[in-house]
Amino acid sequence: MPNPVLTVPPMTLTVVALFVLTYVGMALGRFPGLRIDRTGIALVAAILLLAIGALESGQVTEAIDFPTLFILFGLMVLSAQYAASGFYDWCALRVAQAARSPARLLAVTVAVGGGLSAVLANDVVVFAMTPMLCVGLLARRLDPRPYLIGLAGAANAGSAATVIGNPQNILIGQMGHLDFWRFLAVCGVPALVGLLVVYAVVWLAWRGRFGEPDDGAAGQGGAEPVTLDRAQLGKAVVATLVLLGLFTTDLPHEIGVLLVAGAMLISRRLASRGMLGMVDWHLLVLFAALFAINHALKLTGLPAEFVSGLEAAGWLPDRLAVMTPLALAASNSIGNVPAVILLLAAWPLPPEGALYGLAILSTLAGNLLIPGSLANIIVVERAAASGVRLGFLEHARCGIPMTLLSMGFAVLWLWGTGWMRLS
C-alpha cells in the first residue's frame, strides 16, 4: 500500500508547513532567538507563499477582506481624534483620581474601559489609557495591577457588545453582514454581565491588597496636568454620533466609517500625518497577512475536506457544546483574532446565530490568559514600560474565574434566547 503522505503534492506540504509555523508563532508571540513578533511572522509567511508560487498577487488581493480593514482603519483614525484632543490621558488620569475608595475606583476603571471599548476598538483604548492610569495609581500608593486586570477584562467584555468593539467582531460583522443594532441587542446583555463579573472577580481576588490610597496625591496624580482640547473632543464626539446614525441606514458600514475618518483628517489644527501616525498599521498588516495565509491553505482543498468531515461527524461549531470549548482553546492558544480569521476561512457559511456566538464567546474567552487577546498583551507591555509588572499567574488568578463565569452566562443567554442550540 502506498504511503498516503507521498501522494500529497509538495506544494501542499509546503503550504501546510508555513501555515503551521505561522500559527505556532501566533501562539508563542515570537520565535526563540529572533526579534520577530506576530505581525512579522505572518508577513514573512505570506511573502514566502508568494515567492514559491502558492499564491499569486491577484489571489492575495482576492483573499484580503478590504471592508474589514477599512472599518478597522477608520475607527483607528476616529480614535486618533480622541487621542489628539487629550481625551484618553485626561480620562485615565481622572479615573486614577476619581474615588477615595479602591472599590469605587475599580468600578470606575471597569465602567470607563468597558464603555469606551464598546464604541471604539478595545485595543486602541487600552493602549492609550494604560500608561497614565499607572502613573496616577502609583502616585496614590495603590497597586496598579488589579486595576490593570480590571481594565483589560473590561475592555474585552465591553467590546463584545458591539460589532465595532474589537477586530474579531468587525470581521464577523462584515462576513455575516450583521446589523449594528441587532448585534447590540443579542450581545449587549452578556457583555454587560461580563463587566459585572470582571469587577466582582477582581475585587474579591484582590480585596485587602489594593494598597492604602494617598488622597493627598490625588490632586495631581504624580503626572503633569492634562490639557483637554474641548473643541477637538467635541469634533470626535459629533463624529461618533454621526457614525452611529449611519449604522441605522443602508449605507455599508465600511463606507460610513471611512466617511467619518475622512472628515477627521480635515483639520486646521491637527496634521493628517500626525493622525495617520496613530493608526496601528501593524494590526492591519497582521490581518492582511493572515487572510493571505489562510487563503493559500484554502486553495489546497484541505479546509473544505476538514469541514466536511466535521459536518459528517456532527461536530460543526454551530452548537454551544462545540463552539464554547473551541473558542476557549483557540483564543488562548493562537489568540482570539487569529482564531476567528482561521475559523471563518475554513467555515465560510455559518448561520447567523453561530456568528453571534463566535463573537461573544471568542471575545470573553480572551480574558482567560494574557495571550488570549491583543488587549491583554497591550496592557501588560504598556504597563511594563511604565514600571509595573503584571505577571502571567497574577492575571490568570482573575482571568480564569471571570472567563468561565461570563462565558457560562453567555452560553445560557444564547441558548435561552434561541440563537444557538446547546447540543
Side-chain angles (χ1 to χ4, degrees), residues 315-326 411 420-423:
W315 283 99
L316 276 180
D318 56 353
R319 295 167 292 134
L320 289 163
V322 179
M323 176 73 77
T324 305
L326 176 63
V411 166
M420 291 187 73
R421 57 195 177 100
L422 196 58
S423 60

Side-chain angles (χ1 to χ4, degrees), residues 16-402:
V16 171
L18 286 172
F19 175 86
V20 171
L21 285 173
T22 299
Y23 280 92
V24 168
M26 294 299 104
L28 297 176
R30 55 178 52 87
F31 286 127
L34 299 175
R35 299 188 64 182
I36 183 170
D37 60 11
R38 289 177 173 87
T39 300
I41 291 168
L43 182 58
V44 169
I47 291 171
L48 289 174
L49 288 169
L50 272 171
I52 65 175
L55 284 174
E56 298 176 358
S57 299
Q59 290 174 323
V60 173
T61 304
E62 176 188 344
I64 296 173
D65 190 321
F66 283 101
T68 296
L69 297 187
F70 291 159
I71 292 176
L72 268 174
F73 168 78
L75 289 175
M76 290 173 184
V77 173
L78 176 57
S79 185
Q81 179 70 33
Y82 279 98
S85 73
F87 173 71
Y88 287 129
D89 287 343
W90 175 86
C91 195
L93 196 56
R94 287 297 296 269
V95 167
Q97 302 169 351
R100 296 180 183 273
S101 163
R104 293 181 180 177
L105 182 54
L106 178 62
V108 173
T109 303
V110 169
V112 172
L116 289 177
S117 296
V119 181
L120 302 167
N122 62 343
D123 300 333
V124 178
V125 171
V126 297
F127 182 89
M129 287 187 63
T130 298
M132 191 61 72
L133 188 62
C134 289
V135 169
L137 292 169
L138 288 172
R140 293 187 64 183
R141 299 178 184 172
L142 289 168
D143 188 341
R145 292 175 297 174
Y147 301 98
L148 293 174
I149 296 171
L151 175 64
N156 286 321
S159 72
T162 68
V163 76
I164 59 172
N166 56 56
Q168 64 269 21
N169 281 12
I170 293 171
L171 174 60
I172 291 167
Q174 285 302 113
M175 296 289 284
H177 306 287
L178 302 180
D179 177 74
F180 179 90
W181 300 105
R182 187 181 181 90
F183 190 102
L184 178 61
V186 176
C187 299
V189 172
L192 179 59
V193 171
L195 290 176
L196 297 175
V197 168
V198 168
Y199 171 78
V201 168
V202 175
W203 171 247
L204 290 172
W206 286 83
R207 65 188 184 281
R209 298 188 293 127
F210 285 89
E212 292 297 327
D214 181 357
D215 295 322
Q220 292 298 322
E224 294 295 324
V226 175
T227 302
L228 185 63
D229 189 329
R230 298 185 183 277
Q232 296 301 325
L233 176 59
K235 181 179 178 181
V237 171
V238 170
T240 303
L241 294 175
V242 169
L243 179 60
L244 295 177
L246 290 175
F247 286 148
T248 66
T249 70
D250 293 331
L251 189 70
H253 290 174
E254 67 273 16
I255 302 300
V257 174
L258 286 177
L259 284 173
V260 169
M264 294 301 96
L265 294 175
I266 302 172
S267 174
R268 297 177 60 184
R269 298 181 59 184
L270 301 177
S272 57
R273 178 180 293 271
M275 296 280 285
L276 293 174
M278 298 183 197
V279 170
D280 189 351
W281 297 104
H282 289 81
L283 181 59
L284 297 178
V285 171
L286 173 63
F287 258 68
L290 288 177
F291 281 137
I293 294 164
N294 290 336
H295 188 67
L297 185 69
K298 180 180 179 180
L299 292 177
T300 67
L302 294 177
E305 293 179 15
F306 180 69
V307 171
S308 297
L310 289 178
E311 187 173 12
W315 283 99
L316 276 180
D318 56 353
R319 295 167 292 134
L320 289 163
V322 179
M323 176 73 77
T324 305
L326 176 63
L328 193 62
S331 295
N332 289 279
S333 54
I334 61 175
N336 53 13
V337 171
V340 168
I341 295 176
L342 176 59
L343 180 60
L344 292 181
W347 189 31
L349 294 174
E352 183 180 1
L355 290 173
Y356 294 127
L358 178 60
I360 188 73
L361 293 173
S362 66
T363 301
L364 293 177
N367 273 334
L368 188 81
L369 302 173
I370 288 175
S373 78
L374 288 174
N376 296 346
I377 296 170
I378 290 170
V379 167
V380 170
E381 292 179 348
R382 296 283 280 173
S386 301
V388 178
R389 183 182 181 280
L390 179 59
F392 182 88
L393 293 179
E394 291 165 338
H395 180 277
R397 195 175 297 117
C398 293
I400 292 172
M402 75 170 62

